[in-house]
């Protein structure tokens, strides 16, 4: 099998992007990624050779959530109310919103709206829509059933778009303006 | 398939994640429904826009260099064999073990080496946790607090007992990630010393080697469906005593 460096360093951009989205700042993301790569190196003998990207991202994700747990001292993911596996039906034409986020202010609001999502939802959008992983791969990385990936992603998208629409709507008054 | 059903599956359909039969049904509906087709196109437009507009955070050059340097250091540390720091007895045992490994074949030797590396890894984690002030993520001597906390964060619920009566009070717990496997680390105190007890389900990961290294004792055992490893710098006899009391206590509670 190829060396650790050859197999795992190419995934560093994905690893760092994921860590930054979960931890929301450069310093913590760099620390978490370094910690993850060290753990991965030590565990390399146990790597089966299949799907290195999913393997390293699992370790990175765990390192990030470990960090969040230590920072708050309380569960990083509060009792997350997972409703039954129902999917949010597509209801509105999303191309209007798509146009808005191509503009500068829309892109900024998108970033804020993504950051505002609870981590278990945010990571679904990052892993699927930004990193292009499959439902099956995400199920492995996040350690949940595929049905959960499907419903969380569906819910995350709905929440993201609703939040974004609210942020982009013209403010009714100064008091109601979104931060 | 009607509009309502189609719209529920449309997300997964546009992601290319539906099975062939369901995908075909959605395709058929889209062919005869302009409204749903418009929604499907809207979703595709959104997905493309999102991928472009969302920030992509890129690693600094420093980060890659630091990681490469760290791996190089780690690799050197694994390869270093400081003979001077070992006693004649340890060398004898080492040589005998090596001979045994050669006799039993490479396969067994690789597993043995892995077990030894695992011991060292667990010792590192034990000392790192103590020195970095991240000894516990849940601080409590009450097993009715610690056990559910662990169950919430892991996909298993390990046995947790407090041995304060025997002089080994429970301090709390944390989670350790060994490769892709998460394991529980229960933290006990013995006077001024710390004992870490790593616990995980038997099938998940093999046991490390029994070892004494730099004053740390590694004592692994299996009990019921669980693997346990106790690590501490308390005297060897004390750690065995602790392990025995822990075994009995867990066995008694049938946890």
């Amino acid at each position: 099998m190829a060396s650790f460096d050859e197999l795992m360093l190419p995934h560093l951009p994905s690893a760092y992007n994921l860590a930054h989205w979960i931890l929301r700042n450069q310093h913590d993301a760099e620390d978490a990624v370094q910690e993850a790569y060290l753990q991965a190196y030590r565990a390399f003998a146990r790597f089966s050779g299949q799907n290195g990207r999913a393997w390293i991202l699992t370790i990175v994700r765990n390192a990030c959530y470990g960090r969040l747990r230590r920072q708050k001292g309380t569960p990083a993911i509060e009792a997350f109310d997972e409703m039954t596996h129902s999917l949010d039906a597509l209801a509105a034409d999303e191309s209007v919103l798509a146009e808005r986020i191509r503009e500068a202010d829309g892109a900024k609001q998108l970033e804020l709206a993504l950051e505002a999502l609870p981590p278990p939802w945010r990571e679904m959008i990052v892993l699927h829509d930004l990193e292009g992983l499959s439902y099956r791969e995400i199920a492995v990385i996040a350690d949940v059933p595929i049905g959960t990936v499907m419903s969380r992603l569906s819910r995350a998208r709905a929440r993201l778009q609703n939040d974004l629409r609210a942020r982009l709507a013209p403010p009714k008054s100064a008091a109601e303006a979104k931060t | 398939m009607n509009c309502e059903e189609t719209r529920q599956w449309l997300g997964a359909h546009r992601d290319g994640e539906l099975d062939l039969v369901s995908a075909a049904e959605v395709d058929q509906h889209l062919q005869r429904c302009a409204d749903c087709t418009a929604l499907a196109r809207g979703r595709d437009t959104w997905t493309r826009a999102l991928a472009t507009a969302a920030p992509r955070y890129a690693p600094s050059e420093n980060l890659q260099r630091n990681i490469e340097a760290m791996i190089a250091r780690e690799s050197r540390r694994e390869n270093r064999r400081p003979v001077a720091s070992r006693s004649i007895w340890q060398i004898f045992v080492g040589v005998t073990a090596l001979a045994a490994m050669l006799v039993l074949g490479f396969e067994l030797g690789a597993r043995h080496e892995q077990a030894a590396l695992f011991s060292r890894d667990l010792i590192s984690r034990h000392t790192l946790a103590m020195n970095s002030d991240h000894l516990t993520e849940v601080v409590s001597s009450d097993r009715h607090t610690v056990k559910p906390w662990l169950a919430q964060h892991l996909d298993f619920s390990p046995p947790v007992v407090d041995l304060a009566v025997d002089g080994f009070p429970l301090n709390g717990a944390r989670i350790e990630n060994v490769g892709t496997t998460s394991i529980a680390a229960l933290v006990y105190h013995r006077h001024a010393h710390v004992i870490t007890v790593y616990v995980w389900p038997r099938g998940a990961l093999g046991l490390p080697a029994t070892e004494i290294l730099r004053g740390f004792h590694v004592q692994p055992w299996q009990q019921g469906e669980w693997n346990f490893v106790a690590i501490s710098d308390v005297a060897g006899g004390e750690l065995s005593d602790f392990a025995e009391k822990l075994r009995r206590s867990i066995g008694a509670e049938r946890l």
Side-chain angles (χ1 to χ4, degrees), chain A residues 4 9 16-17 20-21 30 34 38-39 41-43 46 55 59 62 69-70 73 87 89-90 92-94 98 101 111 128-129 131 134-135 143 157 161 164, chain B residues 7-8 12 15 17 39 42-43 46 49-50 53-60 63 68 70-71 74-75 77 114 134 137 153 155 175 177-180 205:
Chain A
F4 177 85
L9 281 176
Y16 181 76
N17 192 37
H20 196 295
W21 274 113
E30 287 184 345
Q34 257 195 261
L38 181 59
Q39 282 175 3
Y41 181 76
R42 288 175 175 166
R46 274 185 288 265
W55 189 75
I59 298 173
N62 286 343
R69 273 198 307 272
R70 286 191 293 272
L87 303 175
L90 259 73
D93 188 342
E94 299 172 0
I101 63 174
E111 183 177 8
H128 187 275
D129 293 344
E131 288 295 329
S134 70
Y135 287 9
D143 198 20
R157 283 162 166 167
Q161 290 183 1
L164 202 47
Chain B
R7 289 172 192 198
Q8 287 217 307
D15 290 343
E17 294 276 359
L39 290 186
R43 166 54 60 94
W46 163 261
L50 178 65
R56 185 156 220 283
Y57 303 107
S60 63
L63 181 59
E68 286 169 342
M70 177 185 68
I71 289 169
E74 187 70 10
S75 155
R77 198 146 56 83
Q114 208 171 308
H134 289 148
E137 290 164 0
H153 288 95
D155 56 11
I175 291 166
N177 300 312
V178 179
T180 53
L205 215 54

Coordinates of all heavy atoms in Angstrom, one line a residue, chain A residues 4 9 16-17 20-21 30 34 38-39 41-43 46 55 59 62 69-70 73 87 89-90 92-94 98 101 111 128-129 131 134-135 143 157 161 164, chain B residues 7-8 12 15 17 39 42-43 46 49-50 53-60 63 68 70-71 74-75 77 114 134 137 153 155 175 177-180 205:
Chain A
F4 N 1.5 6.8 4.0 CA 0.5 7.6 4.6 C 0.4 9.0 3.9 O -0.7 9.4 3.6 CB 0.8 7.8 6.1 CG -0.2 8.6 6.8 CD1 -1.3 8.1 7.3 CD2 0.1 10.0 7.0 CE1 -2.2 9.0 8.0 CE2 -0.8 10.8 7.6 CZ -2.0 10.3 8.1
L9 N -2.5 13.0 2.5 CA -2.3 14.5 2.4 C -3.1 15.1 1.3 O -3.5 16.2 1.4 CB -0.8 14.8 2.2 CG 0.0 14.8 3.5 CD1 1.5 15.0 3.3 CD2 -0.5 15.9 4.5
Y16 N -9.6 20.2 6.0 CA -9.6 21.6 6.6 C -10.9 22.3 6.4 O -11.4 23.0 7.3 CB -8.4 22.4 6.0 CG -8.3 23.8 6.6 CD1 -7.8 23.9 7.9 CD2 -8.8 24.9 6.0 CE1 -7.8 25.2 8.5 CE2 -8.8 26.1 6.6 CZ -8.3 26.3 7.8 OH -8.3 27.5 8.4
N17 N -11.5 22.2 5.2 CA -12.8 22.8 4.9 C -13.8 22.3 5.9 O -14.5 23.1 6.5 CB -13.2 22.6 3.5 CG -14.3 23.4 3.0 OD1 -14.4 24.6 3.4 ND2 -15.2 22.8 2.3
H20 N -13.1 23.6 9.5 CA -13.4 25.1 9.6 C -14.9 25.3 9.7 O -15.4 26.1 10.4 CB -12.8 25.8 8.4 CG -12.8 27.3 8.7 ND1 -13.9 28.1 8.8 CD2 -11.7 28.2 8.8 CE1 -13.5 29.4 9.0 NE2 -12.2 29.4 9.0
W21 N -15.7 24.5 8.9 CA -17.1 24.7 8.9 C -17.7 24.2 10.3 O -18.7 24.8 10.8 CB -17.8 24.0 7.8 CG -17.9 24.8 6.5 CD1 -17.3 24.5 5.4 CD2 -18.7 26.0 6.3 NE1 -17.6 25.5 4.4 CE2 -18.4 26.4 5.0 CE3 -19.5 26.7 7.1 CZ2 -19.0 27.6 4.5 CZ3 -20.1 27.9 6.6 CH2 -19.9 28.3 5.3
E30 N -7.2 24.4 12.4 CA -5.9 23.9 12.2 C -5.5 22.9 13.3 O -4.9 21.9 13.0 CB -4.9 25.1 12.1 CG -5.0 25.9 10.9 CD -4.0 27.0 10.8 OE1 -3.4 27.4 11.8 OE2 -3.8 27.6 9.7
Q34 N -4.6 19.0 12.6 CA -3.3 18.4 13.0 C -3.5 17.2 13.9 O -2.8 16.2 13.7 CB -2.4 19.5 13.7 CG -1.4 20.0 12.7 CD -0.3 20.8 13.4 OE1 -0.4 22.0 13.4 NE2 0.7 20.1 14.0
L38 N -2.4 13.2 13.1 CA -1.6 12.5 13.9 C -2.2 11.1 14.4 O -1.6 10.1 14.3 CB -1.2 13.3 15.2 CG -0.2 12.6 16.2 CD1 1.1 12.2 15.5 CD2 0.1 13.5 17.4
Q39 N -3.5 11.2 14.7 CA -4.2 10.0 15.1 C -4.4 9.1 13.9 O -4.2 7.9 14.1 CB -5.7 10.4 15.6 CG -5.7 11.0 17.0 CD -7.1 11.4 17.3 OE1 -8.0 11.3 16.5 NE2 -7.2 12.0 18.5
Y41 N -2.3 8.8 11.5 CA -1.0 8.2 11.2 C -0.8 7.0 12.2 O -0.4 6.0 11.7 CB 0.1 9.2 11.4 CG 1.5 8.7 11.1 CD1 1.9 8.4 9.8 CD2 2.3 8.3 12.2 CE1 3.2 7.9 9.6 CE2 3.6 7.8 12.0 CZ 4.0 7.6 10.7 OH 5.2 7.0 10.4
R42 N -1.2 7.2 13.4 CA -1.0 6.2 14.4 C -1.9 5.0 14.2 O -1.6 3.9 14.5 CB -1.2 6.7 15.8 CG -0.1 7.6 16.3 CD -0.3 8.2 17.6 NE 0.8 9.0 18.1 CZ 0.8 9.8 19.1 NH1 -0.3 10.1 19.7 NH2 1.9 10.5 19.4
A43 N -3.1 5.3 13.5 CA -4.0 4.2 13.3 C -3.9 3.6 11.9 O -4.7 2.8 11.5 CB -5.5 4.8 13.5
R46 N -4.5 0.1 10.7 CA -5.9 -0.4 10.7 C -6.7 0.1 9.5 O -7.8 -0.3 9.3 CB -6.6 0.0 11.9 CG -6.4 -0.9 13.1 CD -7.2 -0.5 14.3 NE -6.7 0.7 14.9 CZ -5.9 0.7 15.9 NH1 -5.5 -0.4 16.5 NH2 -5.5 1.9 16.4
W55 N -12.3 7.8 5.3 CA -11.6 7.4 6.5 C -11.0 8.6 7.2 O -11.3 8.8 8.4 CB -10.5 6.4 6.2 CG -9.8 5.8 7.3 CD1 -10.3 4.8 8.1 CD2 -8.5 6.0 7.8 NE1 -9.4 4.4 9.0 CE2 -8.3 5.2 8.9 CE3 -7.5 6.9 7.4 CZ2 -7.1 5.2 9.6 CZ3 -6.3 6.9 8.1 CH2 -6.1 6.0 9.2
I59 N -12.1 10.7 11.0 CA -11.2 11.0 12.1 C -11.2 12.6 12.3 O -11.3 13.0 13.5 CB -9.8 10.5 11.7 CG1 -9.8 9.0 11.6 CG2 -8.8 11.0 12.8 CD1 -8.5 8.4 11.1
N62 N -14.5 13.5 14.1 CA -14.4 13.1 15.5 C -13.6 14.1 16.3 O -13.9 14.5 17.4 CB -13.9 11.7 15.6 CG -15.0 10.7 15.2 OD1 -16.1 11.0 15.1 ND2 -14.5 9.5 15.0
R69 N -16.8 19.4 22.5 CA -17.2 18.9 23.8 C -16.3 19.5 24.9 O -16.7 19.9 25.9 CB -17.0 17.4 23.8 CG -18.2 16.6 23.4 CD -18.1 15.2 23.9 NE -16.8 14.6 23.5 CZ -16.6 13.9 22.3 NH1 -17.5 13.8 21.5 NH2 -15.4 13.4 22.1
R70 N -15.0 19.5 24.6 CA -14.0 20.0 25.6 C -14.2 21.5 25.9 O -14.1 22.0 27.0 CB -12.6 19.8 25.2 CG -12.2 18.3 25.4 CD -10.7 18.1 25.2 NE -10.2 18.4 23.9 CZ -10.2 17.5 22.9 NH1 -10.6 16.3 23.1 NH2 -9.7 17.8 21.8
G73 N -17.7 21.9 27.7 CA -17.8 21.1 29.0 C -19.1 20.4 29.0 O -19.3 19.5 29.7
L87 N -39.1 13.5 4.8 CA -38.4 14.4 4.0 C -39.1 15.7 3.7 O -40.4 15.6 3.5 CB -38.0 13.7 2.6 CG -37.3 12.4 2.8 CD1 -37.2 11.7 1.4 CD2 -35.9 12.6 3.4
A89 N -40.6 18.3 1.5 CA -40.9 18.3 0.1 C -40.4 19.6 -0.5 O -40.4 20.6 0.1 CB -42.4 18.1 -0.1
L90 N -39.9 19.5 -1.8 CA -39.6 20.8 -2.5 C -40.9 21.6 -2.7 O -41.9 21.0 -3.1 CB -39.0 20.5 -3.8 CG -37.5 20.6 -3.9 CD1 -36.9 19.4 -3.1 CD2 -37.0 20.6 -5.3
A92 N -40.8 25.4 -3.2 CA -40.7 26.7 -3.9 C -39.6 26.6 -5.0 O -38.7 25.8 -4.9 CB -40.4 27.8 -3.0
D93 N -39.7 27.5 -6.0 CA -38.7 27.5 -7.0 C -37.4 28.1 -6.4 O -37.4 29.3 -5.9 CB -39.2 28.4 -8.2 CG -38.2 28.3 -9.4 OD1 -37.0 27.9 -9.2 OD2 -38.6 28.7 -10.5
E94 N -36.4 27.4 -6.4 CA -35.2 27.8 -5.7 C -34.2 28.7 -6.6 O -33.2 29.1 -6.1 CB -34.4 26.6 -5.1 CG -35.3 25.8 -4.1 CD -34.7 24.5 -3.7 OE1 -33.6 24.1 -4.2 OE2 -35.4 23.8 -2.9
A98 N -31.2 31.3 -5.7 CA -29.9 30.9 -6.3 C -29.2 32.2 -6.9 O -28.0 32.4 -6.7 CB -30.0 29.9 -7.3
I101 N -27.8 34.6 -4.1 CA -26.5 34.3 -3.4 C -25.3 34.5 -4.3 O -24.2 34.4 -3.9 CB -26.5 32.8 -2.8 CG1 -26.6 31.7 -3.8 CG2 -27.5 32.7 -1.7 CD1 -26.5 30.3 -3.3
E111 N -23.2 32.6 4.0 CA -22.2 32.2 5.0 C -22.7 32.2 6.4 O -22.6 31.3 7.2 CB -20.9 33.0 4.9 CG -19.8 32.6 5.8 CD -18.5 33.4 5.6 OE1 -18.6 34.4 4.9 OE2 -17.5 33.0 6.2
H128 N -22.2 17.0 1.7 CA -22.8 16.7 0.4 C -22.6 17.8 -0.6 O -22.1 17.5 -1.7 CB -24.3 16.3 0.6 CG -24.9 15.8 -0.7 ND1 -25.4 16.6 -1.7 CD2 -25.0 14.5 -1.2 CE1 -25.8 15.9 -2.7 NE2 -25.6 14.6 -2.4
D129 N -23.2 18.9 -0.3 CA -23.2 20.0 -1.3 C -21.9 20.6 -1.6 O -21.6 21.1 -2.7 CB -24.3 21.0 -0.9 CG -25.7 20.5 -0.9 OD1 -25.9 19.4 -1.5 OD2 -26.6 21.1 -0.3
E131 N -18.7 19.3 -0.4 CA -17.6 18.3 -0.7 C -17.9 17.2 -1.6 O -17.1 16.4 -2.0 CB -17.1 17.7 0.7 CG -16.4 18.7 1.6 CD -15.0 19.1 1.0 OE1 -14.4 18.3 0.2 OE2 -14.6 20.2 1.2
S134 N -21.1 11.1 -1.2 CA -22.4 10.4 -1.4 C -23.1 10.2 -0.1 O -22.4 10.3 1.0 CB -22.2 9.0 -2.1 OG -21.5 8.2 -1.2
Y135 N -24.4 9.9 -0.1 CA -25.1 9.6 1.1 C -24.4 8.5 1.9 O -24.3 8.5 3.1 CB -26.5 9.2 0.8 CG -27.5 10.2 0.3 CD1 -27.0 11.5 0.0 CD2 -28.8 10.0 0.2 CE1 -27.9 12.5 -0.5 CE2 -29.7 10.9 -0.3 CZ -29.3 12.2 -0.6 OH -30.2 13.2 -1.0
D143 N -21.4 8.5 11.0 CA -21.8 7.4 11.9 C -23.3 7.4 12.2 O -23.8 7.3 13.3 CB -21.1 7.4 13.2 CG -21.1 6.0 13.9 OD1 -21.4 5.0 13.2 OD2 -20.9 6.0 15.1
R157 N -31.5 21.7 4.3 CA -31.6 22.5 3.1 C -32.8 23.4 3.3 O -32.8 24.6 2.9 CB -31.8 21.7 1.9 CG -30.6 21.1 1.3 CD -30.8 19.9 0.4 NE -29.7 19.5 -0.4 CZ -29.6 18.4 -1.1 NH1 -30.6 17.6 -1.1 NH2 -28.5 18.1 -1.7
Q161 N -32.6 27.5 3.5 CA -33.3 28.4 2.5 C -34.3 29.4 3.2 O -34.4 30.5 2.9 CB -33.9 27.6 1.5 CG -32.9 26.9 0.5 CD -33.5 26.2 -0.6 OE1 -34.8 26.2 -0.7 NE2 -32.7 25.6 -1.4
L164 N -32.3 32.0 5.0 CA -31.7 32.9 4.0 C -32.7 33.9 3.5 O -32.5 35.1 3.3 CB -31.1 32.0 2.9 CG -30.0 32.6 2.0 CD1 -28.9 33.3 2.8 CD2 -29.4 31.5 1.1
Chain B
R7 N -42.4 15.4 -5.0 CA -41.7 16.5 -4.4 C -40.9 16.1 -3.1 O -40.0 16.7 -2.7 CB -42.6 17.6 -4.1 CG -43.1 18.3 -5.4 CD -44.1 19.3 -5.2 NE -44.7 19.7 -6.6 CZ -45.4 20.8 -6.8 NH1 -45.6 21.6 -5.9 NH2 -45.8 21.0 -8.0
Q8 N -41.4 15.0 -2.5 CA -40.7 14.5 -1.3 C -39.4 13.8 -1.7 O -38.4 13.9 -1.0 CB -41.6 13.4 -0.6 CG -42.7 14.0 0.2 CD -43.0 13.3 1.5 OE1 -43.1 12.1 1.5 NE2 -43.0 14.0 2.6
A12 N -33.6 13.8 -3.2 CA -32.7 12.6 -3.3 C -32.5 12.3 -4.8 O -31.5 11.8 -5.2 CB -33.3 11.4 -2.6
D15 N -30.0 14.5 -6.3 CA -28.7 14.1 -5.8 C -28.2 12.8 -6.4 O -27.1 12.3 -6.1 CB -28.8 13.9 -4.2 CG -29.0 15.2 -3.5 OD1 -28.7 16.3 -4.1 OD2 -29.4 15.1 -2.3
E17 N -29.4 9.8 -5.8 CA -29.4 8.8 -4.7 C -30.5 7.9 -4.7 O -30.6 7.0 -3.8 CB -29.2 9.5 -3.4 CG -27.9 10.3 -3.3 CD -26.7 9.4 -2.8 OE1 -26.9 8.2 -2.6 OE2 -25.6 9.9 -2.7
L39 N -39.6 22.8 -10.5 CA -39.0 22.7 -9.1 C -37.7 21.9 -9.2 O -36.7 22.3 -8.6 CB -39.9 21.9 -8.2 CG -41.2 22.7 -7.7 CD1 -41.9 21.8 -6.7 CD2 -40.9 24.0 -7.1
G42 N -35.1 24.3 -10.6 CA -34.8 25.2 -9.5 C -33.8 24.7 -8.5 O -32.9 25.3 -8.1
R43 N -34.1 23.4 -8.2 CA -33.1 22.8 -7.2 C -31.7 22.6 -7.8 O -30.7 22.9 -7.1 CB -33.7 21.4 -6.8 CG -32.7 20.5 -6.1 CD -32.0 21.1 -4.8 NE -32.9 21.5 -3.8 CZ -33.3 20.7 -2.8 NH1 -32.8 19.5 -2.6 NH2 -34.1 21.2 -1.9
W46 N -30.1 26.0 -7.7 CA -29.7 26.3 -6.3 C -28.4 25.5 -6.0 O -27.5 26.1 -5.4 CB -30.8 25.9 -5.4 CG -30.3 25.8 -4.0 CD1 -30.0 24.7 -3.3 CD2 -30.0 26.9 -3.1 NE1 -29.5 25.0 -2.0 CE2 -29.5 26.3 -1.9 CE3 -30.1 28.3 -3.2 CZ2 -29.1 27.1 -0.8 CZ3 -29.7 29.1 -2.1 CH2 -29.2 28.5 -0.9
A49 N -25.4 27.0 -7.6 CA -25.1 28.3 -7.0 C -24.5 28.2 -5.6 O -23.5 28.9 -5.3 CB -26.4 29.2 -6.9
L50 N -25.0 27.3 -4.8 CA -24.5 27.0 -3.5 C -23.0 26.6 -3.5 O -22.2 27.1 -2.8 CB -25.3 26.0 -2.8 CG -24.9 25.6 -1.4 CD1 -25.0 26.7 -0.4 CD2 -25.7 24.4 -0.9
A53 N -21.1 29.8 -4.4 CA -21.1 30.9 -3.6 C -20.7 30.7 -2.1 O -20.2 31.6 -1.4 CB -22.6 31.5 -3.5
A54 N -20.8 29.4 -1.7 CA -20.4 29.2 -0.3 C -18.9 29.2 -0.2 O -18.1 28.8 -1.1 CB -20.8 27.8 0.1
P55 N -18.4 29.8 0.9 CA -16.9 29.9 1.1 C -16.3 28.5 1.2 O -16.9 27.6 1.7 CB -16.8 30.6 2.5 CG -18.1 31.1 2.8 CD -19.1 30.4 2.0
R56 N -15.1 28.4 0.6 CA -14.4 27.1 0.8 C -13.1 27.5 1.5 O -12.3 28.3 1.0 CB -14.1 26.5 -0.6 CG -13.4 25.2 -0.5 CD -13.5 24.3 -1.7 NE -13.8 22.9 -1.3 CZ -12.8 22.0 -0.9 NH1 -11.6 22.4 -0.8 NH2 -13.2 20.8 -0.6
Y57 N -13.0 27.0 2.7 CA -11.8 27.4 3.5 C -10.6 26.5 3.2 O -10.7 25.3 3.2 CB -12.2 27.2 5.0 CG -13.4 28.0 5.4 CD1 -14.6 27.4 5.7 CD2 -13.3 29.4 5.5 CE1 -15.7 28.2 6.0 CE2 -14.4 30.2 5.8 CZ -15.6 29.5 6.1 OH -16.8 30.3 6.4
A58 N -9.6 27.1 2.8 CA -8.4 26.4 2.3 C -7.3 26.4 3.4 O -7.1 27.4 4.1 CB -7.9 27.0 1.1
P59 N -6.6 25.3 3.5 CA -5.5 25.2 4.5 C -4.3 26.1 4.1 O -4.0 26.2 2.9 CB -5.1 23.7 4.5 CG -5.5 23.2 3.1 CD -6.7 24.1 2.7
S60 N -3.7 26.6 5.1 CA -2.5 27.5 4.9 C -1.3 26.5 4.5 O -1.4 25.3 4.8 CB -2.2 28.3 6.1 OG -1.8 27.4 7.2
L63 N 0.1 24.8 7.5 CA -0.5 23.7 8.1 C 0.0 22.4 7.4 O 0.3 21.4 8.1 CB -2.1 23.8 7.9 CG -2.9 22.6 8.4 CD1 -2.7 22.5 9.9 CD2 -4.4 22.8 8.1
E68 N 3.4 17.5 7.9 CA 4.4 16.7 7.4 C 5.6 16.6 8.4 O 6.1 15.5 8.6 CB 5.0 17.3 6.0 CG 4.0 17.1 4.9 CD 4.4 17.9 3.6 OE1 5.2 18.8 3.8 OE2 3.9 17.6 2.6
M70 N 5.3 16.9 11.6 CA 4.8 16.1 12.7 C 4.9 14.6 12.4 O 5.3 13.8 13.3 CB 3.4 16.5 13.0 CG 2.7 15.7 14.1 SD 1.0 16.2 14.2 CE 0.3 15.6 12.7
I71 N 4.5 14.2 11.2 CA 4.5 12.8 10.8 C 6.0 12.3 10.8 O 6.3 11.2 11.2 CB 3.8 12.6 9.4 CG1 2.3 12.8 9.6 CG2 4.1 11.3 8.8 CD1 1.6 12.9 8.3
E74 N 7.1 11.7 14.3 CA 6.4 10.5 14.8 C 7.0 9.2 14.3 O 7.2 8.3 15.0 CB 4.9 10.5 14.4 CG 4.0 9.5 15.0 CD 3.8 9.7 16.5 OE1 4.1 10.7 17.0 OE2 3.3 8.7 17.1
S75 N 7.4 9.3 13.0 CA 8.0 8.1 12.4 C 9.4 7.9 13.0 O 9.8 6.7 13.2 CB 8.1 8.4 10.9 OG 9.1 7.7 10.3
R77 N 10.3 8.7 16.0 CA 10.1 8.2 17.4 C 9.7 6.7 17.4 O 10.2 6.0 18.3 CB 8.9 9.0 18.0 CG 8.9 8.9 19.5 CD 8.4 10.2 20.2 NE 7.1 10.7 19.7 CZ 6.0 10.2 20.2 NH1 6.0 9.3 21.2 NH2 4.8 10.7 19.8
Q114 N 1.5 -4.3 16.5 CA 0.4 -3.4 16.5 C -0.1 -3.3 18.0 O -0.5 -2.2 18.4 CB -0.7 -4.0 15.6 CG -1.6 -3.0 15.1 CD -2.6 -3.5 14.0 OE1 -2.1 -4.2 13.1 NE2 -3.8 -3.3 14.2
H134 N -7.0 18.4 30.0 CA -8.3 17.8 29.4 C -8.5 16.4 29.8 O -8.7 15.5 29.1 CB -8.1 17.8 27.8 CG -8.2 19.2 27.2 ND1 -7.5 19.5 26.1 CD2 -8.8 20.3 27.6 CE1 -7.7 20.8 25.8 NE2 -8.5 21.3 26.7
E137 N -14.1 15.1 30.2 CA -15.1 16.0 29.5 C -16.4 16.0 30.3 O -17.2 16.9 30.1 CB -15.3 15.4 28.1 CG -14.1 15.6 27.2 CD -14.1 14.8 25.9 OE1 -15.1 14.0 25.7 OE2 -13.2 14.9 25.1
H153 N -22.8 10.0 24.0 CA -21.8 10.4 23.0 C -21.1 9.3 22.3 O -20.3 9.5 21.4 CB -20.7 11.2 23.8 CG -21.2 12.6 24.1 ND1 -21.7 12.9 25.4 CD2 -21.2 13.8 23.4 CE1 -22.0 14.2 25.4 NE2 -21.7 14.7 24.3
D155 N -21.8 5.1 20.7 CA -22.9 4.2 20.3 C -22.9 3.0 21.2 O -23.4 1.9 20.8 CB -22.8 3.9 18.8 CG -21.5 3.2 18.4 OD1 -20.7 2.9 19.3 OD2 -21.3 3.1 17.2
I175 N -13.9 11.0 26.0 CA -13.9 10.1 24.9 C -12.6 10.2 24.1 O -12.1 11.3 23.9 CB -15.1 10.4 24.0 CG1 -16.4 10.0 24.7 CG2 -15.1 9.7 22.6 CD1 -17.6 10.6 24.1
N177 N -10.6 9.1 20.5 CA -10.8 8.6 19.2 C -9.6 7.9 18.7 O -8.5 8.5 18.6 CB -11.1 9.8 18.2 CG -12.4 10.5 18.7 OD1 -13.4 9.9 18.9 ND2 -12.3 11.8 18.7
V178 N -9.7 6.6 18.6 CA -8.6 5.8 18.1 C -8.8 5.4 16.6 O -9.6 4.6 16.3 CB -8.4 4.5 18.9 CG1 -7.3 3.6 18.4 CG2 -8.3 4.8 20.4
G179 N -8.2 6.1 15.8 CA -8.5 6.0 14.3 C -9.9 6.4 14.2 O -10.4 7.5 14.6
T180 N -10.7 5.5 13.6 CA -12.2 5.9 13.4 C -13.0 5.3 14.5 O -14.3 5.5 14.5 CB -12.7 5.3 12.1 OG1 -12.4 3.9 12.1 CG2 -12.0 5.9 10.9
L205 N -12.2 -3.4 18.5 CA -10.7 -3.1 18.4 C -10.1 -4.2 19.3 O -10.6 -4.6 20.3 CB -10.5 -1.7 19.1 CG -9.4 -0.8 18.6 CD1 -9.6 -0.6 17.1 CD2 -9.6 0.5 19.3

